[in-house]
Amino acid sequence: MTDAAQMIFDRLLPPPGPPQAAQARAPGNIALAKYWGKRDPALNLPCNSSLSVSLRDWGSITRVAPAPDRQDAVWLNGERLPGTSPFAMKALAFAGRFRRGLDAPLHIRTTNTIPTAAGLASSASGFAALTKALCAAFGADLDPAGQSQLARIGSGSACRSLWHGFVRWDRGRAPDGADSHGYPLPDIWPGFRIAVIPVDIGPKAHPSRAGMNRTVATSPLYASWPERAEADCADVRAAIEARDLRTLGETAEANALAMHATMLAARPALIYLKPQTWVVLETLWRARADGLVAYATMDAGANVKLIFLENAARDVQAAFPPARVIAPFDPP
Ligand code: DP6
């Protein structure tokens, strides 16, 4: 392989040698200012910067080891996957970028610690944990920013899952993506809370990758997105620094709805939100009119994530009994 993505692995990794067994874990993340649209799909270089909060112990644990039976194989949550499974194929193709032709069959075992009932996709934590495990297995002593560049090639949002807390992914300018990776923000906000409200826990009708590419290619509203999204990302960053939940929440909610508006205008339309999503949103907006300080965000799926402070947790739980509350800054 001598594609553009492989050249980045070749630049960042030492020459391939026999792998060791290694294990790593990485948290999932929720974007408060979304990544939506690529300026370079082969390298997952985004059209705009994004900013997320990591989900503490909700994430992935991945173990990579030389295959004693000399056969590549992948397990997900304890179940051995058929070679035709998309997850297995993606994981092995990614491992191939580290092996670079070396005859070193691997066993890859991933366990997701995100409850399935929460309906959250795990590609971000999965690729981040796989990147860390493969770097350790192949003796690559990369700093987290370097690991983030590699994880980004697996899945864009994975480049933000190398850290806990708030993480910003700068869009960068370099054609090879050397300046397009996550970095952690120093802000620790112990009272910050996220709640996941599951609406639809089944597999998505449209994977986010295809949805993103279709939106960029066909949505007449997409032209307005990159500049607005960049400004939202800066506003979210400033609101975190000022510990201003209201500005953060209003910006994050508007940013998510604007992203969904670009999808609605795609041809054919991409609609990830379900009727129940709107029921949750209307319940939230009514509660907010009555004084609840909580805001919503949705990714390329129907589930709703709420943003609020610890002192609203009881009211959030009362208004949304299925809500699963995460305290991102609690010790693991
Ligand atoms: C809506 O990172 O899954 O969740 O780079 O194609 O793998 P690929 O896409 P992915 O897209 C995530 C999109 C999003 C917004 C976000 O997490 O910032």
Side-chain angles (χ1 to χ4, degrees):
M1 273 189 283
T2 51
D3 57 300
Q6 189 60 46
M7 283 163 67
I8 295 171
F9 285 76
D10 293 348
R11 172 165 60 74
L12 291 172
L13 298 176
Q20 310 286 312
Q23 179 169 307
R25 64 188 302 154
N29 74 75
I30 301 283
L32 305 171
K34 309 290 185 193
Y35 149 53
W36 194 245
K38 307 175 192 201
R39 64 180 197 277
D40 182 335
L43 300 183
N44 283 340
L45 294 179
C47 296
N48 61 276
S49 307
S50 56
L51 198 158
S52 60
V53 63
S54 290
L55 300 177
R56 211 174 56 115
D57 50 350
W58 283 21
S60 303
I61 303 171
T62 298
R63 184 176 161 77
V64 172
D69 58 358
R70 306 221 22 95
Q71 300 281 328
D72 278 338
V74 177
W75 286 256
L76 180 60
N77 297 330
E79 189 192 326
R80 186 172 174 153
L81 300 176
T84 51
S85 123
F87 180 87
M89 290 196 298
K90 275 198 262 178
L92 289 170
F94 194 69
R97 296 201 176 280
F98 287 75
R99 281 195 288 226
R100 289 163 286 167
L102 191 77
D103 177 26
L106 292 170
H107 282 183
I108 300 175
R109 288 181 167 80
T110 292
T111 306
N112 288 329
T113 59
I114 300 180
T116 311
L120 287 188
S122 47
S123 75
S125 58
F127 271 107
L130 182 59
T131 301
K132 287 165 79 173
L134 285 166
C135 280
F138 285 94
D141 186 21
L142 284 186
D143 63 6
Q147 292 186 348
S148 173
Q149 281 184 61
L150 300 184
R152 187 199 72 222
I153 290 167
S155 182
S157 52
C159 84
R160 299 186 308 239
S161 272
L162 273 297
W163 299 270
H164 287 283
F166 296 114
V167 179
R168 188 181 144 105
W169 172 13
D170 271 342
R171 75 184 287 285
R173 300 271 160 200
D176 69 351
D179 55 357
S180 187
H181 55 76
Y183 65 87
L185 301 184
D187 306 79
I188 303 212
W189 192 346
F192 191 83
R193 295 288 181 275
I194 291 276
V196 178
I197 303 180
V199 165
D200 182 356
I201 61 167
K204 310 184 192 186
H206 316 280
S208 54
R209 179 160 301 184
M212 198 183 291
N213 292 341
R214 191 202 298 174
T215 304
V216 175
T218 70
S219 172
L221 297 190
Y222 188 76
S224 67
W225 169 261
E227 194 182 330
R228 183 68 254 169
E230 201 63 44
D232 286 346
C233 192
D235 290 350
V236 166
R237 204 288 159 250
I240 290 170
E241 217 167 1
R243 304 292 190 273
D244 177 353
L245 198 271
R246 193 173 295 264
T247 303
L248 190 165
E250 285 175 2
T251 310
E253 190 173 297
N255 176 269
L257 289 168
M259 177 183 76
H260 283 276
T262 69
M263 302 179 195
L264 272 172
R267 300 179 185 200
L270 270 161
I271 305 178
Y272 288 101
L273 307 182
K274 300 272 196 229
Q276 186 59 26
T277 311
W278 295 106
V279 172
V280 170
L281 289 176
E282 287 186 2
T283 307
L284 170 69
W285 293 332
R286 267 199 309 274
R288 204 151 76 207
D290 291 339
L292 181 70
V293 184
Y295 302 87
T297 183
M298 293 78 61
D299 289 317
N303 302 306
V304 180
K305 277 75 92 174
L306 298 185
I307 302 157
F308 52 97
L309 294 180
E310 187 184 12
N311 58 13
R314 190 190 292 257
D315 291 343
V316 165
Q317 199 75 69
F320 304 98
R324 321 260 316 226
V325 178
I326 303 163
F329 295 93
D330 273 8

